[in-house]
Amino acid sequence: MAAKPLNIAMLSLHSSPMGSLGTRWNGGMSVVLTATARELARRGHRVDVFTHRGDSRLPEVVFLGPGVRLVHLSAGPPGPASPLALFDARQDLARALDAFRVRCGVHYHLVHSHYWVSGVVGLRIAIRWGVPHLITFHTLAAVKDATQAAPPEPALRRDQETALARRCQLLLAPTPVEAGHLVDLYGADPGRIALVPCGVDLQRFHPVGQALARRRLGLAPRGRRLLFVGRLDPMKGLERLLDALALLDPPTPDLAVVGGDGPASDARQRLASAIRDRGLHARVDLVGRIPPEKLRFHYSAADAVVVPSVYESFGLVLLEALACGTPVVATPVGAAPGLITSPEAGRVSGDTSAPSLALGIRAVLDAPSMPSPLAIRPLVRPLAWGRVTTALESAYRETLGNRTPRG
Ligand code: UDP
């Protein structure tokens, strides 16, 4: 007999899946959430994704696809709100969530929270409903702080993450490294951690051929080109990449930077001055945000994609680049050490420093021949969203099978 379809409440309070990818609060988490919600719905489950209504003009409910509703909760600050402001509004958010459930008469079988602040509200609501609570943290304050690449996170966040790591029925970790952090830094029970990697949309991200991609983007057919894709966040290590670029001997590559909140944003201004300070303005192209459906041209136009992050829970850009057949030079964080295991896939640098990155870049650019995109792409086939969602679905079923409510 086929298993009963589930009603799933997903929480993504501080970041709406409708937001623009590559901006301050919107990145990989929205991609993961939307892709898994849609896949789960394709298998007959019903998914409601709850987010904070950051704009009063948005309707309460938006369909993200058949069987997937995005519900805007009118509680907390009326405009865009930081995770801390949402934490302060946790009781109102939980009340609004419960009121929606009552109005719709839905019985949710489980709550799956994304990021710590959603976890705080998710745990409350799951206890009230008497259902399991699962969490994907996406990033961990303790690991982020250890990098010292940005001002420390508020102590409150780490305390809340610790409580969640000990009280949720299941913690979903995308890599064994994150599972280790949960156990070592947060005291989580290893028996309540499930490994569910992130995935990639293989239809959207595929090789288009470098010559065609460059023509399409109006770029010169020749010349070495590196690509960075992501939010302009200190964790992404962009300044170290600029330092690495400055260290490279001729023939020197150019660098395209895709992502960010627009030319007026603080992060973009800081980046522009870091580029000027290093005398790199002629070699760095600040492309700005590119919608995901156009990114394959940027990935295919590059000779190598660089992921210079000082911390990454997983790193979707790595998967997308490999799916487009472009080698990656990455720091040894997130999914990189597990995925870049052959010279065709690129290089993992020895550490996160600029000289190590420069060595990795040089090794890829100076390879006797460019690897064929068709040799690179198969590396990520096992991470198609369909397969990843099968792992997630099993984790849900198992948790529902061994329910011991934790109050
Ligand atoms: N992204 C995008 N357009 C941009 C910049 C980024 O669509 O201009 C997407 C990118 O393709 C990836 C996501 O944003 O899917 C970033 O995810 P990643 O895991 O690399 O980083 P995170 O934002 O989670 O730190």
Side-chain angles (χ1 to χ4, degrees), residues 86 160 197 268 307:
L86 294 175
Q160 292 298 325
R268 174 77 175 258
V307 181

Side-chain angles (χ1 to χ4, degrees), residues 43-404:
R43 292 153 195 236
H45 305 296
R46 285 187 51 184
V47 187
D48 285 340
V49 181
F50 294 90
T51 194
H52 168 248
R53 187 187 227 148
D55 181 341
S56 59
R57 291 165 302 183
L58 290 168
E60 183 184 36
V61 174
V62 176
F63 280 88
L64 292 182
V68 186
R69 298 189 293 186
L70 175 65
V71 182
H72 292 107
L73 296 174
S74 297
S82 69
L84 280 182
L86 294 175
F87 176 79
D88 289 341
R90 60 197 178 282
Q91 287 176 350
D92 293 342
L93 287 159
R95 261 196 293 275
L97 218 161
D98 194 36
F100 178 85
R101 183 196 65 81
V102 171
R103 241 183 312 132
C104 297
V106 193
H107 164 72
Y108 293 106
H109 296 96
L110 60 89
V111 177
H112 181 174
S113 300
H114 290 262
Y115 201 62
W116 71 272
V117 73
S118 294
V120 172
V121 176
L123 183 61
R124 263 166 195 262
I125 208 79
I127 291 171
R128 190 179 304 172
W129 295 344
V131 301
H133 180 226
L134 298 83
I135 187 161
T136 309
F137 282 105
H138 293 277
T139 56
L140 294 166
V143 187
K144 204 172 166 186
D145 284 350
T147 67
Q148 299 188 334
E153 288 292 304
L156 169 98
R157 172 174 172 188
R158 202 195 277 213
D159 295 345
Q160 292 298 325
E161 287 179 346
T162 305
L164 289 164
R166 295 174 186 184
R167 291 181 68 194
C168 294
Q169 264 78 16
L170 194 71
L171 313 177
L172 297 157
T175 63
V177 174
E178 182 159 315
H181 288 149
L182 288 167
V183 175
D184 300 340
L185 306 175
Y186 287 92
D189 168 1
R192 286 192 299 108
I193 301 176
L195 281 177
V196 177
C198 293
V200 63
D201 181 339
L202 292 170
Q203 265 89 50
R204 173 171 283 171
F205 296 103
H206 59 84
V208 293
Q210 191 177 71
L212 177 69
R214 288 191 177 192
R215 258 203 314 281
R216 166 92 191 222
L217 297 177
L219 299 169
R222 270 182 251 291
R224 295 309 200 122
R225 186 175 170 91
L226 302 173
L227 173 68
F228 167 93
V229 176
R231 295 175 298 110
L232 305 185
D233 183 285
M235 290 299 125
K236 296 290 173 185
L238 248 178
E239 294 210 4
R240 291 187 202 198
L241 174 54
L242 297 179
D243 288 337
L245 207 59
L247 286 174
L248 292 173
D249 293 325
T252 48
D254 288 343
L255 169 69
V257 176
V258 165
D261 287 73
S265 68
D266 287 351
R268 174 77 175 258
Q269 301 274 322
R270 266 197 305 276
L271 178 61
S273 70
I275 294 167
R276 269 195 310 275
D277 292 348
R278 290 164 178 81
L280 290 170
H281 39 279
R283 289 172 55 201
V284 183
D285 180 9
L286 292 181
V287 178
R289 205 186 78 72
I290 297 289
E293 59 279 7
K294 299 211 167 120
L295 274 178
R296 64 181 178 281
F297 296 104
H298 293 264
Y299 285 127
S300 289
D303 295 290
V305 170
V306 188
V307 181
S309 308
V310 291
Y311 173 35
E312 218 38 273
S313 164
F314 190 88
L316 289 180
V317 162
L318 162 67
L319 292 190
E320 294 164 4
L322 296 175
C324 291
T326 306
V328 177
V329 178
T331 46
V333 298
L339 272 170
I340 305 178
T341 52
S342 64
E344 298 87 62
R347 290 287 187 286
V348 179
S349 58
D351 53 44
T352 59
S353 69
S356 293
L357 271 173
L359 273 177
I361 293 169
R362 202 74 274 172
V364 169
L365 294 185
D366 291 353
S369 60
M370 278 265 282
S372 155
L374 298 179
I376 299 175
R377 183 171 159 85
L379 298 171
V380 293
R381 284 234 168 84
L383 294 169
W385 281 119
R387 294 212 200 179
V388 168
T389 308
T390 300
L392 180 64
E393 201 181 6
S394 312
Y396 286 170
R397 295 273 184 216
E398 238 168 81
T399 309
L400 285 164
N402 342 308
R403 292 194 40 193
T404 11

